[in-house]
Amino acid sequence: SLVVVVREADGEKACTAFSAIEGVEAVEAVPSNTASGETVINLKVSRGCDIRSRVWEAASGAGLTLLTLRPAEISLEDVFLELTGGENAQKEADE
């Protein structure tokens, strides 16, 4: 997964541009202080896909200024859920 920050107060334009990238499974704009004029976008990327150049191209093509592009930090809980079969496996175990 990637975290992208663009200079765009309205995240809808950025979400639309990034959702069209091959290898992107989900796009989420993170609520933030729009007074800064920046929007943080979380991209869930297919395993093994390096889409960094495509993110830059999509941002450029949509007229967005790309400020940050970095890997998302993964929590221990996320690792556990992935290794054990995800949230559904956890719910079944709780029942």
Side-chain angles (χ1 to χ4, degrees), residues 15-80:
C15 286
T16 300
F18 298 140
S19 65
I21 298 172
E22 184 179 340
V24 172
E25 296 177 359
V27 178
E28 175 190 24
V30 178
S32 62
N33 179 3
T34 56
S36 69
E38 298 176 1
T39 299
V40 177
I41 309 287
N42 288 327
L43 302 179
K44 183 177 180 187
V45 181
S46 299
R47 185 178 298 261
C49 285
D50 183 0
I51 63 163
R52 292 174 294 176
S53 63
R54 287 181 266 168
V55 169
W56 185 86
E57 291 167 358
S60 178
L64 301 168
T65 301
L66 188 65
L67 301 175
T68 304
L69 176 61
R70 64 177 171 80
E73 295 178 9
I74 300 173
S75 71
L76 287 176
E77 181 180 3
D78 292 335
V79 172
F80 172 79

